[in-house]
Amino acid sequence: MKNLKAISEDNSAQGAAEYILLFGGVIVIALAGLLIYRSYFSNTASGLNATEDISSIRNNMTI
């Protein structure tokens, strides 16, 4: 009976499960962000181009 009580009070795996859920949530949010801003990072007909925008900002900062 003592072993059963010790097993039921053991919480050592709870921390690992919480970390797995936390990292899983971060990964889901990062993937959602990438999907939302995918058109900005790709060269599409939308007129948005990250490379040109960064170059434009750098040129304006040096002037």
Side-chain angles (χ1 to χ4, degrees):
M1 200 61 160
K2 188 175 183 179
N3 289 335
L4 183 60
K5 186 176 180 180
I7 290 172
S8 67
E9 292 177 357
D10 185 19
N11 294 327
S12 62
Q14 181 177 354
E18 289 174 354
Y19 280 121
I20 290 170
L21 290 172
L22 179 68
F23 289 132
V26 169
I27 290 170
V28 168
I29 291 170
L31 288 175
L34 285 174
L35 289 174
I36 291 170
Y37 292 107
R38 174 178 47 185
S39 64
Y40 181 73
F41 291 108
S42 65
N43 294 327
T44 61
S46 66
L48 297 174
N49 190 343
T51 306
E52 290 177 9
D53 291 345
I54 292 172
S55 297
S56 173
I57 291 170
R58 286 183 181 158
N59 289 337
N60 288 334
M61 290 179 70
T62 58
I63 295 176

